[in-house]
Amino acid sequence: MDYKQQVEQATAYIQGIHSNPVAIGIILGTGLGNLASQIQVELEIPYQDIPHFPISTVESHTGTLLFGTLGGKPVLAMKGRFHYYEGYSMKEVTFPIRVMQGLGVQTLLVSNASGGLNPEQAVGEVMVIRDHINLFPENPLRGKNYEEWGPRFPDMSVPYSPRLIELAAQIANEEGIKLHRGVYCGVEGPNLETPAEYGYLRRIGSDAVGMSTVPEVLVACHAGMEVFGLSAITDLGVEGKIHQVSLEDVLAAAAKAEPSMRKIIFELVRRLN
């Protein structure tokens, strides 16, 4: 069975349980898991129940697909995502985005935890992603292209929606949230970066670095979705501020950023048209 057939089987399984199309998809990455508590959940599907769906192996990521409403809008939320460093291929990492496409998702909201590279950032603050740099060794669009999914050579001149970025800035201003704008760099992981690598990433134009998001955004753009991304700054890769970081440190910093991220995403969904 080829990849497209696997996606179609997974999509058909979900449609057999939840037939209504959903236009808004959300990836609840590190720092945004509690947003699930604000979703009026109508249906919860464990990843392991969905044919061909990967299963998250990271302890901070539960593996559940949520259908419900948020801010009065129907949403589909991934509670837990997949990473290249877990051993998955890029096609497996982005499998849920293809399923979302089949379910009618037109807008993708994605969150992550990242290391801050900009000296103006502080741990626990939030950055809206205005662009990204892809340093992953594999591309999810490599291989056979299905024209019904998207073009062979997708344009990436506007990967993140300027409309949604401005709306988020307006919401942050209303809520008194300090919101950075910057470039997210996606790397393979799972190790954090050396001081020299942090310096290199900063010099090539990155404001934050993490191990997710870019693959999903590539596929979402290929599928013609409008994309919005938020990063929780959970540690700093700034000279003079670099120190040893544990998963517990990252989760604690993500929890600090979570209320701001939750407010922005909730209001963004509520005001989407």
Side-chain angles (χ1 to χ4, degrees), residues 112 114-131 160 164-166 168-173 176-184 202 206-208 228-236 238 241 257 260-261 264:
N112 61 53
S114 63
L117 303 173
N118 190 318
E120 294 182 4
Q121 297 166 342
V123 170
E125 293 182 343
V126 180
M127 183 188 86
V128 63
I129 304 173
R130 64 172 180 82
D131 203 347
Y160 298 88
L164 298 184
I165 290 171
E166 290 305 320
Q170 180 183 330
I171 293 165
N173 185 58
I177 297 168
K178 185 175 182 180
L179 184 64
H180 300 275
R181 297 192 196 197
V183 176
Y184 176 88
R202 180 62 179 157
S206 308
D207 293 289
F228 175 81
L230 275 183
S231 294
I233 304 300
T234 54
D235 58 286
L236 296 176
V238 177
K241 298 181 180 179
S260 296
M261 298 179 80
I264 292 170

Side-chain angles (χ1 to χ4, degrees), residues 115-119 133 135 185 192-207 209 236-240 242:
L117 303 173
N118 190 318
I133 296 172
L135 292 185
C185 183
L192 301 188
E193 289 69 39
T194 68
E197 288 168 342
Y198 281 131
Y200 162 71
L201 296 175
R202 180 62 179 157
R203 284 192 293 276
I204 65 171
S206 308
D207 293 289
V209 58
L236 296 176
V238 177
E239 188 174 357
I242 299 170

Side-chain angles (χ1 to χ4, degrees), residues 205-264:
S206 308
D207 293 289
V209 58
M211 305 167 194
S212 66
T213 302
V214 170
E216 295 103 316
V217 170
L218 283 171
V219 171
C221 289
H222 181 255
M225 296 179 189
E226 187 175 23
V227 178
F228 175 81
L230 275 183
S231 294
I233 304 300
T234 54
D235 58 286
L236 296 176
V238 177
E239 188 174 357
K241 298 181 180 179
I242 299 170
H243 59 83
Q244 289 189 354
V245 178
S246 67
L247 176 60
E248 289 72 27
D249 295 330
V250 169
L251 294 179
K256 185 178 177 182
E258 188 270 339
S260 296
M261 298 179 80
R262 183 160 35 92
K263 284 180 184 176
I264 292 170

